[in-house]
Amino acid sequence: MALTVHEDRPAGRHAAVPPGSRFRRIYAPRASDALAFSMSTYAMPLLVLTITSSASLTGLAFALEWTPRIAAFVLAGNVVDRRGAAIVCFLASLGRATVVAAAAVALTMLPRGTTETVVILVLAAVTGTLSQFGFVANEAVGAVVTRRGEARPDGIQAVLVGIDQTATVVGPLLAGFLLLAGPGWMLACLSAVSLFAAVLGLQTPPTPLRAASPDGAGKVGGLRAGLRTLVRLPALGWLVGGLACSNLALGLLQSASPVIVVETFGRSSASVGTMWSAAAVATLLAITCCRLVLSRLDLWAVGVVSATLASAACLGLPLAPSYVSYTILVALFMAGDGGLTVVLRTVRSMVIPSTALGATLSLTMLILLLPFPAAGVIVALTPPAHLGRALLACAVLQAVALVVTFTSLRSAPVLRLVADRR
């Protein structure tokens, strides 16, 4: 089935956002929400490890953090389609700020033990759910602006990915150092950043609204709409499938790294944050390179290079003899993953019709993030001494999946169409 690039450019209040207001209405809300997202994602398992010193509970925290996020995706897409991104950004960030602040107060009053651990595990689940509502809303805004803007579509998406990765530089590093001062300080900072994101979220541009289905199908209807759209877009389906396998390796890396860095290499929680911040810097450099080479190469070539880099680095991680070499390989892995993200987001923003934007975005994110709770379960069930073997198995799966994906996409029209539009 032939692929088409949808050109929905409604007039009136949905007109293109002027370049001068992009920072205030698009980039600033995205940056503040991404920082809160990054802090919560990387800090929760590390917080559990700091309090309990248990690798199993660390993996469980990662699984509990991601499982509600996945469950919330389809609902979040429908809410964005029917209520708009601005109100969803505001309520999700405000809710996260309130819950985190309450948890910070509770942790200062509770003694160390089971109750404190339960509070953190519940906090991980709740913040994960609320973070995904804000993430879906911001992705919808980015897709709409990409389609309606005057700039190159890959350029806008590269800026958005760059914002996310900049937050990934600051988030883990900030959370790691604040944890040295105490969990309360880290949670207080996360609450403040979330509150700031809530205020800025109300300024985001309007997104197309979809009327409620007459039968009240709700999230099931949204899932069907997203699935129908994805089936009609095979190139997007190949990319999502390949990157889902890659995300299993990424999820295992994220959930196992606190255990590996702290227990295997004997480093502190701050070293974990430093490692992820270094990886995010490498990703930013990779994204910058993508923006430069996309003026000469098509998305398929950029995707192949990124996939090769990510796969080779991941295959080398189980053999890393020291913290420094492990950090370097993680940075190379994340650099390749950043290039793959630019490719996916650019294709996704160009081919999904605006009438099914939220539902299809939610479905693709659902598929992409299903491996993360699975990775947390793997870490929870795997003895620390065998985490390297589990990572190697995931690295092999990632390499095979990416080879199959980009072999199948070699002649995909949409990858050439995106290049032609520049």
Side-chain angles (χ1 to χ4, degrees), residues 367-406:
I367 296 171
L368 287 169
L369 295 183
L370 277 172
F372 284 91
V377 172
I378 291 173
V379 173
L381 298 178
T382 303
H386 298 293
L387 285 176
R389 295 179 183 177
L391 183 57
L392 180 60
C394 291
V396 172
L397 175 63
Q398 175 199 37
V400 172
L402 291 178
V403 167
V404 173
T405 295
F406 284 98

Side-chain angles (χ1 to χ4, degrees), residues 195-222:
L195 184 60
F196 188 59
V199 174
L200 293 177
L202 289 174
Q203 304 182 64
T204 56
T207 53
L209 302 182
R210 188 184 78 227
S213 57
D215 59 355
K219 61 182 181 181
V220 176

Side-chain angles (χ1 to χ4, degrees), residues 343-382:
V343 173
L344 172 66
R345 289 188 179 182
T346 302
V347 172
R348 189 170 62 186
S349 67
M350 295 300 295
V351 301
I352 299 176
S354 62
T355 52
L357 184 60
T360 310
L361 280 174
S362 294
L363 180 62
T364 60
M365 294 174 192
L366 175 65
I367 296 171
L368 287 169
L369 295 183
L370 277 172
F372 284 91
V377 172
I378 291 173
V379 173
L381 298 178
T382 303

Side-chain angles (χ1 to χ4, degrees), residues 2-272:
L3 293 176
T4 57
V5 176
H6 299 272
E7 292 286 355
D8 301 316
R9 294 178 181 269
R13 73 185 187 95
H14 293 314
V17 178
S21 65
R22 279 188 195 145
F23 176 82
R24 177 177 57 85
R25 300 186 63 192
I26 301 169
Y27 299 145
R30 176 82 170 220
S32 55
D33 186 74
L35 179 58
F37 187 100
S38 174
M39 287 184 66
S40 61
T41 297
Y42 291 98
M44 292 303 169
L46 190 56
L47 184 60
V48 173
L49 183 64
T50 300
I51 291 176
T52 66
S53 300
S54 170
S56 295
L57 287 176
T58 301
L60 179 61
F62 193 83
L64 288 175
E65 183 181 9
W66 281 100
T67 300
R69 291 186 179 192
I70 290 173
F73 259 126
V74 177
L75 177 61
N78 277 278
V79 172
V80 170
D81 280 346
R82 292 174 182 169
R83 303 300 180 188
I87 189 63
V88 174
C89 287
F90 172 74
L91 292 177
S93 296
L94 183 62
R96 182 175 54 203
T98 304
V99 169
V100 171
V105 173
L107 289 179
T108 60
M109 302 173 63
L110 292 173
R112 285 288 178 98
T114 303
T115 305
E116 188 180 41
T117 302
V118 170
V119 168
I120 297 172
L121 292 177
V122 172
L123 176 64
V126 175
T127 55
T129 302
L130 294 172
S131 293
Q132 288 310 82
F133 273 86
F135 182 73
V136 170
N138 276 292
E139 281 289 281
V141 170
V144 167
V145 172
T146 298
R147 186 177 288 116
R148 294 171 184 159
E150 301 297 328
R152 287 166 37 184
D154 54 80
I156 294 177
Q157 286 299 320
V159 171
L160 295 178
V161 175
I163 289 173
D164 292 344
Q165 293 304 320
T166 301
T168 307
V169 173
V170 179
L173 190 63
L174 181 60
F177 278 100
L178 286 172
L179 273 176
L180 294 178
W185 287 99
M186 189 275 293
L187 293 175
C189 181
L190 176 57
S191 179
V193 173
S194 297
L195 184 60
F196 188 59
V199 174
L200 293 177
L202 289 174
Q203 304 182 64
T204 56
T207 53
L209 302 182
R210 188 184 78 227
S213 57
D215 59 355
K219 61 182 181 181
V220 176
L223 182 61
R224 286 195 191 125
L227 184 59
R228 284 195 299 267
T229 304
L230 190 61
V231 168
R232 292 196 298 266
L233 305 171
L236 181 60
W238 276 112
L239 278 173
V240 170
L243 267 66
C245 293
S246 181
N247 279 351
L248 180 61
L250 176 59
L252 190 64
L253 193 61
Q254 288 181 346
S255 57
S257 285
V259 179
I260 294 173
V261 171
V262 174
E263 296 190 0
T264 302
F265 297 130
R267 298 289 182 134
S268 67
S269 61
S271 297
V272 180

